Amino acid sequence: MTMAPTTPMTPMAAERTAVRVELLVDQRWFTVCELTDLTPGRGVAALLPDGAQVAVFLDRSGRVYAVANRDPFTGAYVLSRGLLGSTGGRPFVASPLLKQRFDLETGRCLDDEGVVVQAYATRTRAGTGAESAQVA
């Protein structure tokens, strides 16, 4: 049996500029994914260079949020799988395990004021980033 030689695939020329999602990490902007990687109403987990996990969300109005992915009540890295909602005009993610709600802008737990997860400033930008995270 003979096999035909394979030709390397050439990437198609991009006619559009990618929009990147960036987080403010250690006083500098860090690219975590492309905006098209996000689905409105759902989250993704991203791994930062220092090994920290973040949960990145795109709400249905097109706003991007990011908080630490670790649920402080269980220790599990699951907030990226949580349910998005809002209360009193404040966006939150509800942990998929015990359902505690975390404000997406501040990281404050809405069900236990003494608990906070880290919240990250986010922005979207056209172009490519020098560094990027691994998205799961």
Side-chain angles (χ1 to χ4, degrees):
M1 169 198 261
T2 61
M3 303 205 38
T6 59
T7 22
M9 296 183 66
T10 57
M12 297 177 67
E15 295 297 323
R16 62 178 177 80
T17 303
V19 176
R20 304 284 183 179
V21 174
E22 297 179 342
L23 306 182
L24 188 59
V25 178
D26 294 329
Q27 301 180 0
R28 65 184 185 140
W29 290 101
F30 180 78
T31 301
V32 289
C33 64
E34 289 190 22
L35 188 59
T36 56
D37 292 333
L38 301 176
T39 301
R42 295 196 175 179
V44 298
L47 185 62
L48 299 179
D50 66 358
Q53 288 188 29
V54 294
V56 183
F57 301 94
L58 177 66
D59 71 11
R60 296 193 188 279
S61 68
R63 180 135 186 233
V64 178
Y65 300 94
V67 295
N69 194 33
R70 185 177 177 274
D71 178 344
F73 291 95
T74 64
Y77 291 86
V78 296
L79 291 183
S80 63
R81 296 181 181 181
L83 299 173
L84 294 185
S86 66
T87 183
R90 304 291 301 178
F92 68 80
V93 60
S95 172
L97 298 178
L98 300 177
K99 309 302 184 239
Q100 284 88 358
R101 300 166 301 152
F102 297 91
D103 186 305
L104 287 171
E105 293 175 344
T106 66
R108 184 177 62 86
C109 181
L110 302 176
D111 303 301
D112 184 339
E113 291 183 13
V115 178
V116 177
V117 295
Q118 182 173 354
Y120 295 85
T122 63
R123 72 179 183 187
T124 55
R125 251 178 95 143
T128 60
E131 297 183 58
S132 60
Q134 296 176 11
V135 176

